[in-house]
Amino acid sequence: MPSSANRPENGGISFRVPEEAQGWRLDKALGLLLASPSPEQEAARPGLFALADLGLRARRRLCDRSLVLVNGKPGIPGLKLRAGQEIIILPDPEGAAIPEDAPSLVYKDGGIAALYKPAGMHTAALAGSLSPSLETLLGDLLPSEEEGYASRLLNRLDAPTSGLVLASCTDGGERRWYRAERIGNTDKLYLALIEGQPLYDFTVARRLDTDTRNKTRVRHTDDPDPVRHTDVTLLAPLTAGDVPGLVESDDPDAPLMLVGCRIRKGARHQIRAHLAAAGHPLAGDSLYGAELPCPSGFLLHHGRVSLPDFQAFRLPAWLPLLPREAQEKATAFLGMEEE
């Protein structure tokens, strides 16, 4: 089986996905790639290729710890591969490695692209500001594919929010996105760290008033349109002591919860406002009443977006800082297929 014996600058081992593995899950393909190493690869990473014999669970753990990159991005175990993609297995299997957190093109198809925006970066360019934004980098990340059409952003994330931002590089791609969103055929999954520990999954259906400049108001009545609701799935209970690098608290037992949020259309600050209205604001989100500070701001990550014939996902850079069980729950929520 053809495979590359390259040694990337990060010290990992590089492979190319062969034609025979087209459409395979990443965790399954790793078994094939690791089963037939070249002498150069075995010499470069002694012991690594024994993972092929340890089975599927060990290979999934590599993915869950962001130690397997697919075209430079962390790959979840259930990622479906395409022939020719580059897979890099990072060194130091005893310690999680966090890839460089920089804006990038995650996936593109049919005139629509999913771009990754790191936390701390604005989506749109601010008037009079020299700070980089996703919008100012758009021409380099996503050149237009249609004469007379300028690539443009299709949605936004708050500066502290990381994750996927949609953009179009053709007029047809732009119309395709807005049509899918209008009829409720878009699906957006977020990971969030909230204060408190609710007992059950819940949905927040309250109407939102986004006319105010800084803060979205939550009305007392429900919105009858389900595509305007926020569905919240409980993933893992935590305490401030479990995540010392992410949350600051004098009480290590202060309750937190990792949750998954699902929205469809989306409105300004929808998840932030809805969670606060439910009594569980994002940890670190002082605008919406959070009590626990976070050094890097609140933790909210847009990890997966789907519409007909289009799907993209990106794990958060802070995922390896969570306990192992929480990492596994987060990865599963964003789409890991269980066998």
Side-chain angles (χ1 to χ4, degrees):
M1 187 201 77
S3 62
S4 169
N6 292 341
R7 300 196 66 182
E9 292 182 1
N10 56 27
I13 294 294
S14 173
F15 303 87
R16 291 286 174 182
V17 177
E19 292 289 342
E20 64 206 83
Q22 170 78 23
W24 283 22
R25 288 169 49 107
L26 175 58
D27 52 7
K28 177 182 176 182
L30 284 175
L32 175 66
L33 297 172
L34 293 169
S36 304
S38 68
E40 294 83 1
Q41 288 172 326
E42 281 200 295
R45 292 294 308 282
L48 171 66
F49 297 94
L51 286 168
D53 298 326
L54 290 179
L56 184 64
R57 187 169 302 222
R59 303 195 298 269
R60 284 180 173 174
R61 283 199 296 268
L62 281 179
C63 299
D64 292 344
R65 294 166 60 204
S66 297
L67 293 175
V68 181
L69 307 183
V70 180
N71 284 355
K73 304 295 179 292
I76 64 172
L79 173 64
K80 296 298 180 64
L81 298 175
R82 300 189 304 276
Q85 287 181 308
E86 181 185 40
I87 295 178
I88 295 176
I89 302 177
L90 296 173
D92 188 13
E94 294 301 320
I98 304 176
E100 182 180 356
D101 202 28
S104 60
L105 173 64
V106 176
Y107 181 68
K108 180 178 66 172
D109 179 69
I112 300 176
L115 307 174
Y116 172 69
K117 185 194 80 67
M121 173 178 280
H122 288 281
T123 305
L126 300 180
S129 174
L130 298 178
S131 299
S133 67
L134 201 62
E135 187 175 38
T136 58
L137 300 174
L138 187 58
D140 294 328
L141 293 172
L142 185 67
S144 175
E145 295 183 352
E146 188 173 280
E147 186 175 355
Y149 183 87
S151 297
R152 62 199 62 181
L153 299 176
L154 301 175
N155 68 322
R156 297 187 181 189
L157 296 178
D158 295 330
T161 304
S162 62
L164 301 174
V165 174
L166 278 296
S168 58
C169 54
T170 68
D171 180 67
E174 182 178 357
R175 287 186 283 106
R176 176 187 173 197
W177 168 257
Y178 285 122
R179 180 170 59 252
E181 191 176 47
R182 185 175 62 252
I183 63 177
N185 271 354
T186 56
D187 197 38
K188 308 168 190 178
L189 300 183
Y190 287 71
L191 296 173
L193 186 67
I194 64 173
E195 294 187 352
Q197 291 184 352
L199 298 177
Y200 307 103
D201 298 348
F202 59 93
T203 295
V204 186
R206 303 264 289 277
R207 292 179 183 270
L208 297 176
D209 179 358
T210 60
D211 290 340
T212 53
R213 182 175 182 181
N214 293 322
K215 185 177 180 180
T216 293
R217 297 176 59 192
V218 181
R219 298 296 188 181
H220 295 293
T221 57
D222 287 348
D223 195 317
D225 187 353
V227 303
R228 298 291 187 183
H229 300 172
T230 300
D231 299 322
V232 181
T233 300
L234 309 186
L235 300 180
L238 301 167
T239 64
D242 292 327
V243 288
L246 299 176
V247 175
E248 295 178 346
S249 175
D250 294 332
D251 179 9
D253 295 323
L256 300 165
M257 180 75 74
L258 179 70
V259 301
C261 299
R262 181 187 185 210
I263 63 175
R264 294 168 183 82
K265 279 192 174 181
R268 183 173 179 271
H269 293 188
Q270 175 174 328
I271 293 176
R272 297 171 63 185
H274 270 168
L275 287 173
H280 299 285
L282 292 168
D285 193 359
S286 57
L287 180 64
Y288 287 92
E291 297 180 357
L292 297 177
C294 296
S296 59
F298 55 78
L299 295 183
L300 180 63
H301 175 81
H302 184 197
R304 182 167 184 149
V305 61
S306 306
L307 65 153
D309 301 318
F310 184 96
Q311 186 166 261
F313 54 84
R314 177 65 149 83
L315 297 172
W318 42 263
L319 186 65
L321 302 180
L322 300 181
R324 173 58 56 87
E325 182 180 356
Q327 293 183 41
E328 293 173 351
K329 294 287 187 179
T331 303
F333 177 76
L334 292 183
M336 186 180 76
E337 300 172 15
E338 296 290 350
E339 292 185 342

